[in-house]
Amino acid sequence: MLKEFFDAEQIFCYRELPVSALSLWDEKKFRRMEESIGKVESAVIFLIPYFAGQRTTSLSVYAQPRDYHLYLRELSARFADYLEKRAPHIRFCGFTDSSPIREREAALAAGLGVQGENGVVLNERYGSWFFIGEFFLTEGILPQEPVAAEACMGCGACLKACPTGAVTDPQRTRCLSLITQKKELTPEEEALLSAATCKWGCDLCQLSCPYNENAEETPIPFFREGHVRELTEDAALAPKGEFLTRAYSWRGRRVLLRNIENKKD
Ligand code: SF4
Ligand code: SF4
């Protein structure tokens, strides 16, 4: 049953896990969800590939298409229709990124990839260019037991590519991806940002990874159109309706303009 739905959505990497295999990081949020839909028995963990063939330096690849949260909303609406026709007694709730579970651990337990030294999950088909999504279900359709998490080949290319040494720092305090999203910067962070090419997100450790060398492009239409390739003043000052469709909008225009301004002589 899941195969029919995910095939139609061109989502090919997914697996259903029993709820006992999931690691909660926000138990209150999980309980609130159960109050809304009923007791959760399983979760389908799936990968949402977003790479559409172009990499640029100022804007992270994930932020070039429209906001993936909008995609999840559309996907969830289609899944609701699908369940309504085939198994109307099952209720569900979908997440990506703001989930009550640890999504990376879930993807590893589902056997959807290996743990990269750069902190991301690596999939043999899509490299690291994907979001992790999940549908929590009140009745398991065909849950499977988790698998042992594996590690990447440990080639060290991501460590060499990182300009700030953040790959080896568990707190990632010098990670440019995080720094570009901070509202206030310390002088040290300002200097790191000023020396870097990125203006929102940083892909350097991912671009250097051999798993991404031949990563397949996404077949999902949502991620193949409507791109903003570079973070410019025009993008940061776009009309509200357009601006709010972008994943980089969540911190507000001021942070974006600061990051852009930071690059000027
Ligand atoms: S995202 Fe950039 S700064 Fe952060 S760990 Fe990767 S290469 Fe380093
Ligand atoms: S670049 Fe090498 S060490 Fe780093 S995540 Fe990729 S395979 Fe692992």
Side-chain angles (χ1 to χ4, degrees):
M1 189 169 104
L2 287 173
K3 184 174 183 330
E4 188 188 357
F5 176 78
F6 283 116
D7 277 357
E9 295 292 341
Q10 304 195 69
I11 290 176
F12 302 116
C13 300
Y14 61 89
R15 195 159 184 256
E16 188 184 2
L17 293 175
V19 73
S20 57
L22 306 174
S23 162
L24 295 187
W25 78 268
D26 189 339
E27 188 163 351
K28 277 190 189 160
K29 192 171 195 176
F30 190 84
R31 298 301 162 220
R32 278 202 304 276
M33 170 177 68
E34 287 198 312
E35 280 166 21
S36 165
I37 66 171
K39 188 160 177 49
V40 169
E41 282 194 5
S42 75
V44 189
I45 316 297
F46 51 93
L47 305 187
I48 308 166
Y50 57 76
F51 176 56
Q54 274 200 32
R55 308 167 172 99
T56 53
T57 53
S58 71
L59 187 57
S60 192
V61 173
Y62 85 87
Q64 295 180 16
R66 282 173 296 140
D67 188 346
Y68 54 101
H69 297 97
L70 301 176
Y71 170 74
L72 191 84
R73 207 179 297 162
E74 293 175 9
L75 183 73
S76 295
R78 292 194 290 272
F79 192 54
D81 284 348
Y82 184 82
L83 280 185
E84 182 62 34
K85 290 184 188 112
R86 287 162 182 81
H89 59 289
I90 299 179
R91 301 194 65 199
F92 83 101
C93 191
F95 287 94
T96 181
D97 178 38
S98 54
S99 175
I101 63 164
R102 293 187 174 84
E103 290 182 316
R104 287 181 192 170
E105 284 183 23
L108 294 171
L112 300 179
V114 300
Q115 175 66 59
E117 259 187 59
N118 55 4
V120 299
V121 178
L122 306 169
N123 173 267
E124 59 181 26
R125 189 165 177 173
Y126 298 116
S128 57
W129 307 124
F130 54 81
F131 305 109
I132 300 168
E134 55 278 334
F135 287 150
F136 295 98
L137 302 171
T138 55
E139 183 180 303
I141 293 170
L142 208 58
Q144 295 163 305
E145 287 309 306
V147 299
E150 292 177 31
C152 70
M153 64 179 78
C155 69
C158 53
L159 278 76
K160 284 192 200 125
C162 177
T164 68
V167 171
T168 49
D169 170 13
Q171 305 304 320
R172 294 284 163 99
T173 48
R174 289 164 60 87
C175 178
L176 291 161
S177 188
L178 300 180
I179 289 172
T180 59
Q181 299 180 51
K182 286 184 78 174
K183 284 200 165 175
E184 305 298 336
L185 299 182
T186 64
E188 187 199 4
E189 288 167 343
E190 266 183 35
L192 289 173
L193 185 56
S194 180
T197 52
C198 60
K199 296 175 187 163
W200 183 264
C202 166
D203 290 336
L204 292 175
C205 57
Q206 296 188 76
L207 289 169
S208 66
C209 179
Y211 284 85
N212 280 329
E213 246 169 53
N214 299 307
E216 279 182 36
E217 292 185 21
T218 179
I220 301 174
F222 182 98
F223 296 103
R224 297 197 62 84
E225 58 195 24
H227 292 92
V228 169
R229 293 293 185 197
E230 300 282 2
L231 184 58
T232 60
E233 279 183 4
D234 281 351
L237 296 172
K240 192 174 175 187
E242 153 63 18
F243 185 66
L244 292 179
T245 67
R246 300 291 157 184
Y248 52 73
S249 68
W250 78 282
R251 273 304 200 186
R253 299 181 197 269
R254 191 178 69 81
V255 168
L256 301 175
L257 291 169
R258 176 206 61 199
N259 293 352
I260 294 166
E261 185 65 24
N262 177 284
K263 308 290 170 207
K264 290 184 178 167
D265 297 330

